[in-house]
Amino acid sequence: SAVISQKPSRDICQRGTSLTIQCQVDSQVTMMFWYRQQPGQSLTLIATANQGSEATYESGFVIDKFPISRPNLTFSTLTVSNMSPEDSSIYLCSVAADEQYFGPGTRLTVT
Amino acid sequence: GQQVMQIPQYQHVQEGEDFTTYCNSSTTLSNIQWYKQRPGGHPVFLIQLVKSGEVKKQKRLTFQFGEAKKNSSLHITATQTTDVGTYFCAGTKYSGYSTLTFGKGTMLLVSP
């Protein structure tokens, strides 16, 4: 199993600023993912965080807007840059171990 | 790109009634996974189906994977108020570690 923690759990940010979300896993995992879930919607994969190399981004998401770090096998960060109200969402970290686990999420509101 | 459709979007049942949600993929899947997300919570893995025609049961929950590996269903027998939440299917196109494409989810409300 894997236990995932995320910081912060929620934040309210001003337009044009950036927020870095941290994801910590209690065990070493190869695959870490970042998802976005807008209110009442499904989950959309932003990128796969690769240890030791650049993240792999899905269509519609770019590194300049969502830079990701993965310094080791238990930790990753996602930065939401130059935020606008459209970035208001829940951001979820996920890992693939024996099954797929999700963190508790970071609820971001951009005003 | 791969699309996963899920119906219905929403269902409200009386406690004790049955519930089914259906998932259809535009492409053949390697496997399909089901998740439950309680209100205010995060998705929790329920099960993974890999084989064509596979049926798995977890207590009152029955999961099926279609013969063509393009559709799946989750059936709950005799719903309880604890079943409230949104149920998501998610498919992977390739075996091994592969990115998940989520359906839009079915929100289940159960009235006592």
Side-chain angles (χ1 to χ4, degrees):
Chain A
S1 69
V3 177
I4 305 172
S5 59
Q6 279 186 239
K7 289 182 184 178
S9 58
R10 59 178 62 227
D11 207 341
I12 301 172
C13 301
Q14 291 205 336
R15 181 195 298 260
T17 62
S18 297
L19 175 72
T20 295
I21 302 167
Q22 298 179 8
C23 175
Q24 180 75 53
V25 190
D26 69 342
S27 57
Q28 293 187 341
V29 291
T30 304
M31 309 292 284
M32 291 182 77
F33 308 93
W34 286 98
Y35 285 85
R36 181 172 73 182
Q37 185 175 30
Q38 291 174 316
Q41 301 297 313
S42 185
L43 289 86
T44 302
L45 180 64
I46 298 171
T48 302
N50 303 308
Q51 197 267 327
S53 64
E54 274 195 3
T56 306
Y57 289 84
E58 297 300 304
S59 176
F61 298 96
V62 295
I63 187 170
D64 289 347
K65 175 68 177 176
F66 297 101
I68 286 171
S69 79
R70 178 87 195 272
N72 57 53
L73 292 175
T74 63
F75 186 79
S76 178
T77 67
L78 168 75
T79 299
V80 186
S81 304
N82 187 25
M83 288 183 284
S84 66
E86 293 71 38
D87 295 319
S88 297
S89 191
I90 298 171
Y91 292 85
L92 295 141
C93 172
S94 176
V95 303
D98 53 328
E99 58 188 54
Q100 192 111 0
Y101 297 90
F102 284 85
T106 296
R107 186 178 296 268
L108 171 62
T109 303
V110 184
T111 60
Chain B
Q2 183 182 354
Q3 289 190 337
V4 176
M5 286 74 71
Q6 196 173 346
I7 56 169
Q9 272 191 301
Y10 170 85
Q11 188 147 12
H12 187 178
V13 301
Q14 292 292 121
E15 192 171 24
E17 292 181 338
D18 292 356
F19 160 77
T20 305
T21 172
Y22 300 91
C23 191
N24 284 286
S25 169
S26 58
T27 59
T28 301
L29 299 170
S30 173
N31 66 71
I32 196 155
Q33 299 175 21
W34 285 91
Y35 294 81
K36 177 182 179 181
Q37 186 173 25
R38 287 202 160 96
H42 59 275
V44 174
F45 175 87
L46 293 176
I47 208 159
Q48 175 174 279
L49 304 170
V50 179
K51 298 176 185 174
S52 168
E54 189 169 16
V55 178
K56 285 189 176 180
K57 292 192 176 187
Q58 288 179 350
K59 297 183 181 177
R60 294 178 294 105
L61 278 61
T62 302
F63 304 85
Q64 291 190 323
F65 201 9
E67 294 289 342
K69 299 185 74 172
K70 294 180 75 172
N71 58 71
S72 181
S73 65
L74 158 60
H75 179 82
I76 303 178
T77 304
T79 53
Q80 299 175 359
T81 54
T82 53
D83 295 326
V84 164
T86 300
Y87 292 85
F88 291 98
C89 63
T92 63
K93 199 172 178 183
Y94 304 107
S95 61
Y97 286 127
S98 181
T99 57
L100 289 168
T101 300
F102 278 80
K104 291 191 180 298
T106 297
M107 182 187 294
L108 173 64
L109 274 184
V110 181
S111 294

